[in-house]
PDB file of all heavy atoms in Angstrom:
ATOM      1  N   ILE A  18      -0.290   4.358 -13.202  1.00 84.00           N
ATOM      2  CA  ILE A  18      -1.428   3.570 -12.942  1.00 84.00           C
ATOM      3  C   ILE A  18      -2.337   3.314 -14.125  1.00 84.00           C
ATOM      4  O   ILE A  18      -2.771   2.298 -14.452  1.00 84.00           O
ATOM      5  CB  ILE A  18      -2.235   4.105 -11.687  1.00 84.00           C
ATOM      6  CG1 ILE A  18      -1.387   4.027 -10.386  1.00 84.00           C
ATOM      7  CG2 ILE A  18      -3.587   3.164 -11.478  1.00 84.00           C
ATOM      8  CD1 ILE A  18      -2.011   4.810  -9.244  1.00 84.00           C
ATOM      9  N   GLY A  19      -2.523   4.484 -14.736  1.00 83.00           N
ATOM     10  CA  GLY A  19      -3.185   4.394 -16.118  1.00 83.00           C
ATOM     11  C   GLY A  19      -4.651   4.416 -16.111  1.00 83.00           C
ATOM     12  O   GLY A  19      -5.299   3.663 -16.931  1.00 83.00           O
ATOM     13  N   PRO A  20      -5.368   5.308 -15.341  1.00 86.00           N
ATOM     14  CA  PRO A  20      -6.801   5.367 -15.522  1.00 86.00           C
ATOM     15  C   PRO A  20      -7.132   5.941 -16.825  1.00 86.00           C
ATOM     16  O   PRO A  20      -6.481   6.891 -17.297  1.00 86.00           O
ATOM     17  CB  PRO A  20      -7.096   6.312 -14.312  1.00 86.00           C
ATOM     18  CG  PRO A  20      -5.960   7.100 -14.102  1.00 86.00           C
ATOM     19  CD  PRO A  20      -4.776   6.183 -14.292  1.00 86.00           C
ATOM     20  N   GLN A  21      -8.260   5.460 -17.401  1.00 85.00           N
ATOM     21  CA  GLN A  21      -8.534   5.832 -18.827  1.00 85.00           C
ATOM     22  C   GLN A  21      -9.576   7.039 -18.802  1.00 85.00           C
ATOM     23  O   GLN A  21      -9.891   7.652 -19.816  1.00 85.00           O
ATOM     24  CB  GLN A  21      -9.136   4.703 -19.631  1.00 85.00           C
ATOM     25  CG  GLN A  21      -8.207   3.513 -19.803  1.00 85.00           C
ATOM     26  CD  GLN A  21      -6.876   3.996 -20.561  1.00 85.00           C
ATOM     27  OE1 GLN A  21      -7.062   4.599 -21.699  1.00 85.00           O
ATOM     28  NE2 GLN A  21      -5.803   3.626 -19.992  1.00 85.00           N
ATOM     29  N   SER A  22     -10.154   7.235 -17.623  1.00 86.00           N
ATOM     30  CA  SER A  22     -11.226   8.321 -17.508  1.00 86.00           C
ATOM     31  C   SER A  22     -11.114   8.894 -16.118  1.00 86.00           C
ATOM     32  O   SER A  22     -10.464   8.372 -15.277  1.00 86.00           O
ATOM     33  CB  SER A  22     -12.596   7.686 -17.821  1.00 86.00           C
ATOM     34  OG  SER A  22     -12.935   6.791 -16.789  1.00 86.00           O
ATOM     35  N   GLY A  23     -11.867  10.083 -15.953  1.00 87.00           N
ATOM     36  CA  GLY A  23     -11.955  10.696 -14.597  1.00 87.00           C
ATOM     37  C   GLY A  23     -12.624   9.767 -13.614  1.00 87.00           C
ATOM     38  O   GLY A  23     -12.299   9.746 -12.498  1.00 87.00           O
ATOM     39  N   ARG A  24     -13.554   8.982 -14.168  1.00 89.00           N
ATOM     40  CA  ARG A  24     -14.336   8.033 -13.319  1.00 89.00           C
ATOM     41  C   ARG A  24     -13.337   7.035 -12.728  1.00 89.00           C
ATOM     42  O   ARG A  24     -13.371   6.756 -11.573  1.00 89.00           O
ATOM     43  CB  ARG A  24     -15.438   7.455 -14.081  1.00 89.00           C
ATOM     44  CG  ARG A  24     -16.205   6.403 -13.270  1.00 89.00           C
ATOM     45  CD  ARG A  24     -17.413   5.943 -14.208  1.00 89.00           C
ATOM     46  NE  ARG A  24     -18.061   4.714 -13.551  1.00 89.00           N
ATOM     47  CZ  ARG A  24     -17.612   3.520 -13.568  1.00 89.00           C
ATOM     48  NH1 ARG A  24     -16.545   3.235 -14.454  1.00 89.00           N
ATOM     49  NH2 ARG A  24     -18.193   2.534 -13.016  1.00 89.00           N
ATOM     50  N   GLU A  25     -12.486   6.476 -13.572  1.00 88.00           N
ATOM     51  CA  GLU A  25     -11.621   5.503 -13.153  1.00 88.00           C
ATOM     52  C   GLU A  25     -10.588   6.049 -12.068  1.00 88.00           C
ATOM     53  O   GLU A  25     -10.194   5.496 -11.118  1.00 88.00           O
ATOM     54  CB  GLU A  25     -10.765   4.834 -14.259  1.00 88.00           C
ATOM     55  CG  GLU A  25     -11.568   3.773 -15.014  1.00 88.00           C
ATOM     56  CD  GLU A  25     -10.782   3.052 -16.188  1.00 88.00           C
ATOM     57  OE1 GLU A  25      -9.649   3.375 -16.287  1.00 88.00           O
ATOM     58  OE2 GLU A  25     -11.321   2.359 -16.729  1.00 88.00           O
ATOM     59  N   ALA A  26     -10.131   7.332 -12.355  1.00 89.00           N
ATOM     60  CA  ALA A  26      -9.267   8.080 -11.379  1.00 89.00           C
ATOM     61  C   ALA A  26      -9.877   8.144 -10.051  1.00 89.00           C
ATOM     62  O   ALA A  26      -9.342   8.055  -9.053  1.00 89.00           O
ATOM     63  CB  ALA A  26      -8.780   9.411 -12.067  1.00 89.00           C
ATOM     64  N   PHE A  27     -11.212   8.615 -10.098  1.00 90.00           N
ATOM     65  CA  PHE A  27     -12.035   8.800  -8.886  1.00 90.00           C
ATOM     66  C   PHE A  27     -12.071   7.431  -8.163  1.00 90.00           C
ATOM     67  O   PHE A  27     -11.977   7.384  -6.906  1.00 90.00           O
ATOM     68  CB  PHE A  27     -13.382   9.350  -9.172  1.00 90.00           C
ATOM     69  CG  PHE A  27     -14.079   9.668  -7.930  1.00 90.00           C
ATOM     70  CD1 PHE A  27     -13.783  10.703  -7.150  1.00 90.00           C
ATOM     71  CD2 PHE A  27     -15.197   8.885  -7.643  1.00 90.00           C
ATOM     72  CE1 PHE A  27     -14.569  11.017  -5.992  1.00 90.00           C
ATOM     73  CE2 PHE A  27     -15.993   9.144  -6.449  1.00 90.00           C
ATOM     74  CZ  PHE A  27     -15.657  10.156  -5.595  1.00 90.00           C
ATOM     75  N   LEU A  28     -12.319   6.397  -8.900  1.00 90.00           N
ATOM     76  CA  LEU A  28     -12.452   5.080  -8.241  1.00 90.00           C
ATOM     77  C   LEU A  28     -11.077   4.664  -7.535  1.00 90.00           C
ATOM     78  O   LEU A  28     -11.119   4.033  -6.504  1.00 90.00           O
ATOM     79  CB  LEU A  28     -12.875   4.036  -9.208  1.00 90.00           C
ATOM     80  CG  LEU A  28     -14.371   4.011  -9.678  1.00 90.00           C
ATOM     81  CD1 LEU A  28     -14.620   3.017 -10.847  1.00 90.00           C
ATOM     82  CD2 LEU A  28     -15.197   3.695  -8.596  1.00 90.00           C
ATOM     83  N   ILE A  29      -9.938   4.986  -8.181  1.00 90.00           N
ATOM     84  CA  ILE A  29      -8.723   4.679  -7.519  1.00 90.00           C
ATOM     85  C   ILE A  29      -8.576   5.550  -6.143  1.00 90.00           C
ATOM     86  O   ILE A  29      -8.232   4.830  -5.146  1.00 90.00           O
ATOM     87  CB  ILE A  29      -7.553   5.149  -8.453  1.00 90.00           C
ATOM     88  CG1 ILE A  29      -7.466   4.194  -9.736  1.00 90.00           C
ATOM     89  CG2 ILE A  29      -6.209   5.148  -7.729  1.00 90.00           C
ATOM     90  CD1 ILE A  29      -6.518   4.710 -10.806  1.00 90.00           C
TER      91      ILE A  29
END
Side-chain angles (χ1 to χ4, degrees):
Chain A
I18 294 170
Q21 299 299 311
S22 63
R24 183 176 165 272
E25 283 186 0
F27 184 73
L28 283 175
I29 289 168

